[in-house]
Amino acid sequence: MAKVLAVLSSGYKDEENNYHTGWWGEELFAPMEILEKSGHLVDLASPLGGKPEIDQISISEEYDPEGTYKELYESGKADETQKLSEVNPTDYDVVLVIGGHGAMYDLAKNEDLHRIINTIYDNEGIVAAECHGPAPLIWTTRPDGESIIAGKKVTGYPDEIEPEGLLYILPFSLEQEMAEIANYDKGDLNQKAHAVWADNQIVTSRDPFSSELMGEELVKALEK
C-alpha cells in the first residue's frame, strides 16, 4: 500500500473580474477512486487547510452529467485537508497536484508545496500533476537552481481550450510558462485523454478528461 498526498487549491476570488475558482472535482475523485480501489491511501492537503473551495462548474450538469462528483463532494469526502505547511512529506510515496484554475493562484508559487515535491522526488517517490496542477512544477527548483521539469517532456492544459477571455485575467499562461523551460506536449486534442511521464518519477496529464488515466498510470507505477 502506498500513501498518496493529493494537493488542492484552497480557492481564489477575483472580485474585480467577478471570477471565482478552486479545484476541479473530477481531477480529485476519479484518480482517488482508482487508487483507493487498488488499496492505496489518499490524504488531502491545501494551503489553508480545512475545507478547500471547489470550482462549482466542475460539479455542474455540463461537466458532471451523472452527478457522480457532485455526490462525492456533498458527501464530505473532501471537506478536511491538512495545511501544506504542516505536512511531513516523508510520510508519502506520491504527491498528486489536483488541477482547476485555483492551482494557478495559490499552489503555483507555494514554497511549502515546492518543499513537499522536492522531498518526495528525492526519496524516489512519484510527483504527479493534472491539468493546471503542473503549475507548481515550473517553480519547484532543484539544488542546481533549475526547475524540476527543465528540459523534460510534460503536458498541461493548453491555451487553445481555455475558456474565452480567461487567459487575459489568469496570472500566467500554463502552456507558455511550461514551454519556456520544458518540452511541452499537448498531445492530440482529438484524443480524450493524454498523460506523459517526464522521467520514471514525474507524470503530468492534460485536462479533466485525463483524470482516470492519471489514476491508472499511478496504480501501474506503484505496482512496479
Side-chain angles (χ1 to χ4, degrees), residues 5-216:
L5 182 71
V7 178
L8 296 82
S9 167
S10 288
Y12 181 80
K13 284 184 180 176
D14 177 347
E15 304 289 1
E16 184 181 341
N17 293 292
N18 193 29
Y19 179 60
H20 186 191
T21 187
W23 57 276
W24 198 264
E26 182 174 0
E27 293 176 39
L28 171 66
F29 295 126
M32 177 188 269
E33 184 176 40
I34 291 167
L35 285 159
E36 290 181 339
K37 278 186 177 176
S38 296
H40 305 297
L41 177 68
V42 181
D43 288 342
L44 307 181
S46 66
L48 300 179
K51 184 176 180 178
E53 295 262 355
I54 194 170
D55 190 319
Q56 291 291 333
I57 295 171
S58 73
I59 51 173
S60 66
E61 197 170 322
E62 180 181 359
Y63 289 95
D64 183 21
E66 305 297 321
T68 305
Y69 307 117
K70 183 178 183 181
E71 184 177 341
L72 285 166
Y73 176 69
E74 291 179 346
S75 77
K77 200 168 171 66
D79 280 5
E80 286 299 323
T81 65
Q82 306 173 66
K83 278 187 181 179
L84 285 174
S85 61
E86 297 173 358
V87 168
N88 180 357
T90 61
D91 290 342
Y92 295 97
D93 306 289
V94 180
V95 56
L96 171 61
V97 186
I98 308 302
H101 286 101
M104 307 273 281
Y105 294 93
D106 65 350
L107 297 184
K109 298 182 181 181
N110 186 294
E111 292 182 0
D112 291 309
L113 179 53
H114 299 165
R115 170 183 58 85
I116 291 164
I117 290 168
N118 272 322
T119 303
I120 289 173
Y121 189 77
D122 287 339
N123 289 341
E124 299 184 352
I126 295 172
V127 175
E130 305 175 87
C131 194
H132 292 89
L137 304 184
I138 299 165
W139 287 280
T140 299
T141 54
R142 302 295 292 156
D144 62 3
E146 293 285 321
S147 164
I148 197 169
I149 56 170
K152 295 177 180 177
K153 187 176 180 182
V154 291
T155 193
Y157 206 74
D159 287 351
E160 66 194 89
I161 56 175
E162 286 285 11
E164 188 176 352
L166 192 56
L167 266 178
Y168 300 103
I169 66 170
L170 289 174
F172 55 90
S173 154
L174 180 66
E175 176 180 344
Q176 290 167 38
E177 290 287 347
M178 294 182 87
E180 273 192 27
I181 58 166
N183 175 14
Y184 176 79
D185 171 29
K186 67 184 173 188
D188 180 354
L189 293 178
N190 292 315
Q191 287 189 331
K192 184 183 175 185
H194 182 60
V196 297
W197 285 86
D199 55 30
N200 61 2
Q201 288 180 259
I202 300 175
V203 58
T204 52
S205 60
R206 183 181 63 202
D207 48 39
F209 309 111
S210 306
S211 302
E212 287 187 13
L213 177 60
M214 174 60 85
E216 291 162 0

